[in-house]
Amino acid sequence: MRHFDVLVVGSGLAGMTLALHLANHSRVGLVTKRALSDGASQWAQGGIAAVLDREDSLAAHVEDTLIAGAGLCDEAVTRHILGHAAAAIDWLVEQGVPFTPDVAHETGFHLTREGGHSHRRIIHAADATGAAVVTTLADKVLNHPNITVLQDHIAVDLIVGAKVGRPEAGCLGAYVLDRQADRVITLSASHTVLACGGAGKVYLYTTNPDTATGDGIAMGWRAGCRVANMEFIQFHPTCLYHPYAKSFLISEAVRGEGGLLRLPDGTRFMPQHDPRAELAPRDVVARAIDFEMKKHGLDCVHLDISHQSAEFIRHHFPTIHQRCLELGIDITREPIPVVPAAHYTCGGLVTDLNGRTDLPHLYAIGETGCTGLHGANRLASNSLLECLVLARAAAETIAAAPARHAESLPEWDESRVVDADEQVVISHNWDELRRFMWDYVGIVRTDKRLQRAANRIELLKREIEEYYAHFRVSHDLIELRNLVDTAELIVRSAQQRHESRGLHYSRDYPDLLPQALPTILAGRSR
């Protein structure tokens, strides 16, 4: 057994930020199931929303967020998180993040605009903000003497006091599979932080990396934490449509800088769906694209920014420009084929503004948690901001907490399991789950589709739990178990919402209810 003052599960922006804020006075263990920079933060293109221009205001940023969130944002939470945005950006600048400069602007940095925003307030590093931020912070994490990075380790489950005869103890750490040694190790911790990202891989088509399997949400749920608003899965309107492009996102900023959505014959369609046209929030744009594709029998629509100069495009979108060129698409001369894809999990484990969950000594930050900021639809570029603000708040809360002594914990018990005789059950169930979630729990939903999904999830859960009970755990089995738990939470939440709000659109309940209420499922320790 190894003990840490703080165990962080997940190495994206939220996890690394928290680790760096704590490392000068705490021993931090950072668990990541692949390499340090393989999470979704690395893929973020657009940037980070913050009021940095004198013509902008906190009130305007709050208002834009509330509108995008379709009445379900917690206004006090929203004001608090957005109010800490400038300080979060200052911290990143101090760390050396190379944001795109603009000598003409008072901040010295270029600000872009994205859908749903009334002002230019997105600070960015060209069109690869996530990569720039993650690279900068990863270097500091790897070189800090008080941070132990456990790469190629995947958490199996949390260790909770109720399971070891001490219910008042809360969370005591986690069991973690060391993939290189192929054995489960016990990690004890005074405080445990889930920063595992979202659950995009529960869908067949997603902009998320392969690591986004709902691990933190599922583990927290199994440990007894409440979850909220899991029906609100954001589908990004513009994922590159190409047989050789896997999960490549075309940034919101392309539309923010004048990109137009067109049918194959060149006709624009967004003005017929919303007065904000291409700058409408993501849920509106994704539904509009889905509608046009089904109406005309299309495989994709087209995003056209070729009316801008080639120099402008290469300067603002170098990553997108280069990737499309590699696939034979010159975006300076022709439109980009795009489709919607699962992108962001707006719900998650219920937390307060310090990242605390229902379970003592367990925190959830980033896409794993649900603070109330995003409501029924996340406003573009508020997600990286939430990671930064909540990570810092959680770090300060942990640092101020009374010291806890390391406790002796039971080792992982493999005495009643054997090596799996075949892997086809895992691969088949994984494929089936992602396909029916895409077909039945996608951009447009019905009661009948949701019930079909619920029936299939129940069958899959039985098969997976039986497999889990009889065979030694593997990386794929752990992820599949977490995905099916997360899928169940999404479907159960969607079945409870009898209206269409934000990202949840139901043909059976097309109207808004007069009062916006969150969907909260009560956790139960298993």
Side-chain angles (χ1 to χ4, degrees), residues 108-136:
F109 299 110
H110 182 265
L111 302 179
T112 191
R113 185 179 174 190
E114 295 179 339
H117 288 274
S118 57
H119 293 77
R120 286 182 172 269
R121 63 168 70 99
I122 315 302
I123 188 168
H124 60 102
D127 60 348
T129 307
V133 173
V134 166
T135 300
T136 302

Side-chain angles (χ1 to χ4, degrees), residues 26 47 54 68 113 126 129-131 164 211 248 274 276 296 303 309 333 340 415 451 453 458 463 469 509 513:
S26 300
R54 66 182 66 184
R113 185 179 174 190
T129 307
V164 295
T211 55
F248 188 76
D274 192 279
R276 293 164 291 185
H296 297 286
L303 179 59
S309 71
R333 305 163 68 96
S415 61
Q451 189 56 52
E458 186 58 36
E463 283 190 16
Y509 309 101
L513 291 175

Side-chain angles (χ1 to χ4, degrees), residues 278-299:
E278 281 79 8
L279 290 178
R282 289 176 178 173
D283 61 325
V284 175
V285 180
R287 276 199 301 275
I289 294 174
D290 183 69
F291 174 86
E292 296 293 341
M293 287 172 60
K294 290 175 178 172
K295 176 182 177 182
H296 297 286
L298 304 173
D299 292 326

Side-chain angles (χ1 to χ4, degrees), residues 199-210:
K201 292 297 284 187
V202 79
Y203 286 97
L204 185 60
Y205 301 110
T206 177
T207 64
N208 291 179
D210 291 341

Side-chain angles (χ1 to χ4, degrees), residues 169-237:
C171 186
L172 298 166
Y175 291 117
V176 174
L177 174 65
D178 179 343
R179 296 178 63 196
Q180 299 298 321
D182 194 26
R183 67 188 180 95
V184 176
I185 61 175
T186 304
L187 299 182
S188 162
S190 299
H191 304 276
T192 302
V193 183
L194 297 172
C196 313
K201 292 297 284 187
V202 79
Y203 286 97
L204 185 60
Y205 301 110
T206 177
T207 64
N208 291 179
D210 291 341
T211 55
T213 52
D215 302 332
I217 297 169
M219 285 190 292
W221 169 252
R222 291 194 295 264
C225 297
R226 289 172 300 156
V227 299
N229 295 341
M230 286 297 294
E231 69 270 39
F232 298 116
I233 303 295
Q234 186 175 78
F235 288 80
H236 197 288

Side-chain angles (χ1 to χ4, degrees), residues 2 27 43 111 125 127 189-190 229 231 247 263 287 323-324 327 379 405 411 418 422 440 450 458 472 484 494 499 501:
R2 302 180 67 177
R27 290 173 296 125
W43 293 56
L111 302 179
D127 60 348
S190 299
N229 295 341
E231 69 270 39
S247 307
L263 298 175
R287 276 199 301 275
R323 180 60 177 143
C324 287
L327 298 169
L379 181 65
H405 299 295
E411 293 185 357
V418 297
E422 57 185 20
Y440 298 150
L450 293 175
E458 186 58 36
R472 288 191 175 92
V484 77
E499 64 170 346
R501 184 180 297 276

Side-chain angles (χ1 to χ4, degrees), residues 230-523:
M230 286 297 294
E231 69 270 39
F232 298 116
I233 303 295
Q234 186 175 78
F235 288 80
H236 197 288
T238 54
C239 185
L240 178 62
Y241 179 76
H242 192 281
Y244 301 117
K246 180 182 178 182
S247 307
F248 188 76
L249 178 69
I250 305 300
S251 171
E252 188 97 7
V254 173
R255 284 181 285 123
E257 295 292 348
L260 303 175
L261 286 163
R262 302 184 186 276
L263 298 175
D265 65 2
T267 303
R268 284 183 69 193
F269 57 86
M270 277 309 304
Q272 282 73 56
H273 290 271
D274 192 279
R276 293 164 291 185
E278 281 79 8
L279 290 178
R282 289 176 178 173
D283 61 325
V284 175
V285 180
R287 276 199 301 275
I289 294 174
D290 183 69
F291 174 86
E292 296 293 341
M293 287 172 60
K294 290 175 178 172
K295 176 182 177 182
H296 297 286
L298 304 173
D299 292 326
C300 66
V301 295
H302 294 90
L303 179 59
D304 188 8
I305 195 158
S306 62
H307 50 278
Q308 296 279 23
S309 71
E311 180 183 359
F312 177 93
I313 292 169
R314 283 192 290 266
H315 176 70
H316 283 79
F317 308 111
T319 306
I320 296 172
H321 177 254
Q322 182 59 39
R323 180 60 177 143
C324 287
L325 273 183
E326 292 169 0
L327 298 169
I329 305 166
D330 184 353
I331 68 173
T332 67
R333 305 163 68 96
E334 57 188 316
I336 309 166
V338 295
V339 292
H343 183 60
Y344 191 84
T345 308
C346 288
L349 300 177
V350 175
T351 76
D352 64 12
L353 278 172
N354 296 306
R356 289 179 291 212
T357 69
D358 297 325
L359 188 64
H361 312 295
L362 179 68
Y363 298 74
I365 55 176
E367 203 170 347
T368 300
C370 182
T371 61
L373 169 64
H374 304 305
N377 178 32
R378 175 180 68 96
L379 181 65
S381 291
N382 272 353
S383 51
L384 294 184
L385 172 62
E386 185 184 39
C387 288
L388 292 163
V389 174
L390 263 290
R392 183 167 197 159
E396 291 173 351
T397 302
I398 291 170
R404 295 177 81 199
H405 299 295
E407 298 193 47
S408 178
L409 300 176
E411 293 185 357
W412 181 253
D413 182 8
E414 289 190 332
S415 61
R416 291 169 291 178
V417 297
V418 297
D419 289 328
D421 50 2
E422 57 185 20
Q423 298 294 321
V424 68
V425 172
I426 295 176
S427 59
H428 175 82
N429 287 356
W430 180 291
D431 184 63
E432 182 183 350
L433 175 68
R434 297 181 67 210
R435 286 185 181 276
F436 72 65
M437 285 296 289
W438 181 262
D439 290 337
Y440 298 150
V441 200
I443 296 172
V444 177
R445 300 161 179 176
T446 66
D447 282 351
K448 186 176 290 187
R449 291 177 187 174
L450 293 175
Q451 189 56 52
R452 286 173 179 159
N455 293 340
R456 282 158 174 78
I457 286 170
E458 186 58 36
L459 292 173
L460 287 185
K461 278 178 67 69
R462 279 192 231 136
E463 283 190 16
I464 294 164
E465 287 301 328
E466 181 182 6
Y467 198 92
Y468 182 82
H470 289 89
F471 300 114
R472 288 191 175 92
V473 295
S474 66
H475 181 102
D476 289 344
L477 176 58
I478 293 166
E479 289 190 327
L480 177 60
R481 182 176 180 238
N482 290 334
L483 277 175
V484 77
D485 279 346
T486 305
E488 182 183 34
L489 294 172
I490 294 170
V491 171
R492 284 181 56 189
S493 299
Q495 288 178 313
Q496 290 192 22
R497 186 164 293 280
H498 292 174
E499 64 170 346
S500 288
R501 184 180 297 276
L503 299 166
H504 175 76
Y505 184 81
S506 170
R507 284 183 177 170
D508 296 307
Y509 309 101
D511 300 320
L512 278 175
L513 291 175
Q515 185 178 8
L517 295 172
T519 304
I520 298 178
L521 302 179

